[in-house]
């Protein structure tokens, strides 16, 4: 078990950061925990970069070009959604490894191009679907993969927040120019679908959806995308399920829940209680707690602190960045979310919007072709 995050030191990796907000803070903490030099940060202005570099403990502020063309091994893109595609392509073309915040791009075509460009250039290119790094998510995935729930029948999943509940709650994500055509789904539904497919070990093949925009404007700004999405999904095995995504669910702060029902058992993960995994059976239910000594093979490495000391979101992020840096060092860590997964999320986003607009079932793969 890795009890000391510096065990995952990757030596002298030099990291650059584009953006100076909350996600840049999370990324830079994880980079330092992985033993990297957090060398440079660029933001929307030189002054903003200077302030953010000081607040986040980055060696120095820089201009974007200085980072993309400069002496860094990996670029962390933590800027508004609409800027991701161009910045990620620039970094790939400069031969940099890239960690790009989700959504990777606001269209599937752009996301697909980025995944292909990263593969052609031979750089490590990752997207932080970090909920994969909670140990009890990996335990759920191992239980399903071992056939311990039997054949998957149904799924009941959700991702609920309330930070956009009030009419004056606003954010760059709500505008089409910076946020893109989808907000709630692209921002958090993408996490939910990634985690569902990751744990279930199979893909969503068809879906139908309805979206809802509650306020046409926020804080005097027109709103261009959705607050909530209700989705019915069909997976490759024929399993059926419902997904509810909302950023206006009063009292729900970051309530990502995943429940899978099989012919023998069910499992339920609740991101707000990440140390636990519920297992349900006809003969009775039980709650598993994170414990590397009893975990399934391959799961123990995700425990980063001793049992009984709760692990959380930043620990999951630290595990993700440590795996990115290990991949830069030539390793192939299991379950690393790459630009391929970012492209998948963009493909699902377009399928969800198309199903809602045309009020019909959509074949996910086909929807991306037409
Ligand atoms: C806001 O919805 C947000 O910060 C997302 O952008 C993150 O991806 C999610 O993990 C938490 O909520």
């Amino acid at each position: 078990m890795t009890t000391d995050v510096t065990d995952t030191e990757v030596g002298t990796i030099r990291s650059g950061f584009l953006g100076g907000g909350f996600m840049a803070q999370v990324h830079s903490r994880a980079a330092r925990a992985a033993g990297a030099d957090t060398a440079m940060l660029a933001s929307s202005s030189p002054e903003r970069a200077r302030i953010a570099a000081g607040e986040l403990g980055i060696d120095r502020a820089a201009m974007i070009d200085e980072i993309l063309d400069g002496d860094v091994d990996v670029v962390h893109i933590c800027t508004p959604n609409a800027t991701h595609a161009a910045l990620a392509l620039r970094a790939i073309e400069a031969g940099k490894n890239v960690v790009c915040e989700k959504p990777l791009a606001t269209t599937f075509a752009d996301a697909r191009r980025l995944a292909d460009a990263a593969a052609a250039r031979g750089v490590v290119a990752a997207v932080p679907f970090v909920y994969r790094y909670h140990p009890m998510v990996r335990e759920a995935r191992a239980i399903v993969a071992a056939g311990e729930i039997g054949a998957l029948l149904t799924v009941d999943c959700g991702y609920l927040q309330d930070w956009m509940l009030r009419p004056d709650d606003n954010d760059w994500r709500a505008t089409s120019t910076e946020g893109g055509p989808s907000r709630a789904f692209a921002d958090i539904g993408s996490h939910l679908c990634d985690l569902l497919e990751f744990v279930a070990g199979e893909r969503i093949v068809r879906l139908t959806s309805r979206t809802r925009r509650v306020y046409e404007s926020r804080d005097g700004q027109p709103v261009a995308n959705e607050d909530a999405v209700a989705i019915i999904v069909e997976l490759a095995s024929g399993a059926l399920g419902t997904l509810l995504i909302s950023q206006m669910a009063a009292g729900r702060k970051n309530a990502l829940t995943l429940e899978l029902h099989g012919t023998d058992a069910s499992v339920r993960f609740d991101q707000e209680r990440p140390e636990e995994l519920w297992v349900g059976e006809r003969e009775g239910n039980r709650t598993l707690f994170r414990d590397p000594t009893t975990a399934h093979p391959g799961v123990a490495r995700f425990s980063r602190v001793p049992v009984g000391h709760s692990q959380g979101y930043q620990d999951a992020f630290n595990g993700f960045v440590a795996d990115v840096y290990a991949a830069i060092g030539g390793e192939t860590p299991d379950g690393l979310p790459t630009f391929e997964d970012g492209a998948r999320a963009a493909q699902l986003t377009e399928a969800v919007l198309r199903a809602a607009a045309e009020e019909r079932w959509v074949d996910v793969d086909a929807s991306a072709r037409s």
Side-chain angles (χ1 to χ4, degrees):
M1 175 179 80
T2 302
T3 54
D4 175 358
V5 291
T6 57
D7 290 353
T8 62
E9 278 203 35
V10 287
T12 56
I13 278 197
R14 289 173 53 81
S15 307
F17 303 87
L18 306 185
F22 164 64
M23 290 317 293
Q25 181 181 66
V26 174
H27 281 245
S28 56
R29 282 177 181 162
R32 264 191 297 277
D37 292 337
T38 51
M40 290 186 259
L41 181 147
S43 188
S44 49
S45 71
E47 179 57 10
R48 179 77 201 112
R50 190 186 61 75
I51 293 169
E55 289 171 347
L56 274 54
I58 310 295
D59 293 353
R60 69 181 178 84
M63 302 303 285
I64 288 183
D65 290 351
E66 201 179 345
I67 294 176
L68 292 176
D69 304 326
D71 174 23
V72 297
D73 304 295
V74 56
V75 179
H76 291 252
I77 300 174
C78 307
T79 53
N81 301 351
T83 66
H84 291 175
L87 291 171
L89 189 58
R90 287 264 323 270
I92 292 165
E93 288 170 346
K96 304 300 184 194
N97 301 289
V98 189
V99 180
C100 183
E101 263 300 324
K102 25 60 62 187
L104 175 58
T106 54
T107 68
F108 175 57
D110 282 348
R112 185 66 262 159
R113 261 193 296 276
L114 289 168
D116 295 343
R121 195 73 172 78
V123 294
V124 173
V127 176
F129 287 125
V130 289
Y131 297 115
R132 296 184 180 196
Y133 282 79
H134 283 303
M136 299 317 279
V137 166
R138 296 285 175 142
E139 183 70 6
R141 178 176 179 243
I143 287 170
V144 173
E148 294 172 22
I149 71 166
L152 185 60
L153 299 174
T154 52
V155 300
D156 175 14
C157 308
Y159 199 157
L160 304 175
Q161 299 176 331
D162 68 3
W163 63 284
M164 293 291 274
L165 180 60
R166 297 201 173 88
D168 56 353
D169 289 330
N170 200 5
D171 181 81
W172 54 261
R173 291 177 180 82
T175 65
S176 64
T177 48
E178 290 196 289
S182 168
R183 172 175 30 98
F185 185 84
D187 188 26
I188 59 175
S190 55
H191 276 296
L192 185 60
C193 289
D194 174 75
L195 210 62
L196 170 57
E197 293 188 332
F198 183 67
V199 171
E202 60 176 289
R203 285 196 153 186
I204 298 166
V205 293
R206 301 176 72 233
L207 60 83
T208 189
S209 70
R210 299 295 289 145
T211 59
R212 184 171 186 205
R213 174 164 60 233
V214 175
Y215 300 119
E216 289 305 321
S217 70
R218 290 176 174 271
D219 232 6
Q221 271 195 331
V223 174
N225 40 41
E226 81 283 359
D227 294 306
V229 193
I231 307 172
I232 302 175
V233 296
E234 180 178 338
L235 279 71
S237 64
L240 292 178
T242 56
L243 281 61
L244 180 64
I245 293 119
S246 173
Q247 293 182 314
M248 297 184 66
R252 291 300 186 190
K253 304 309 177 188
N254 202 36
L256 186 166
T257 57
L258 203 68
E259 186 165 317
L260 282 67
H261 315 114
T263 48
D264 297 334
S266 301
V267 287
R268 179 183 180 84
F269 175 77
D270 177 348
Q271 191 277 147
E272 292 183 342
R273 301 175 67 90
E275 295 279 87
E276 303 172 16
L277 183 71
W278 176 84
V279 179
E281 294 177 343
R282 179 75 164 262
E283 299 69 26
N285 306 334
R286 61 189 187 280
T287 298
L288 306 179
F289 291 88
R290 176 176 63 86
D291 184 343
T293 63
T294 58
H296 275 63
V299 173
R301 81 176 183 97
F302 298 95
S303 277
R304 308 177 69 80
V305 290
V307 294
H309 301 64
S310 293
Q311 255 183 227
Y313 175 77
Q314 185 68 54
D315 295 295
F317 225 102
N318 293 358
F320 162 70
V321 171
D323 269 6
V324 173
Y325 291 5
I328 291 171
E331 295 180 34
T332 50
D334 172 47
L336 179 69
T338 69
F339 275 22
E340 283 297 330
D341 302 295
R344 174 63 179 170
Q347 184 179 44
L348 283 162
T349 302
E350 290 192 356
V352 165
L353 294 183
R354 168 159 301 178
E358 300 173 12
E359 297 190 355
R360 65 180 178 86
W361 281 87
V362 164
D363 291 336
V364 175
D365 293 328
S367 76
R369 281 196 290 274
S370 52

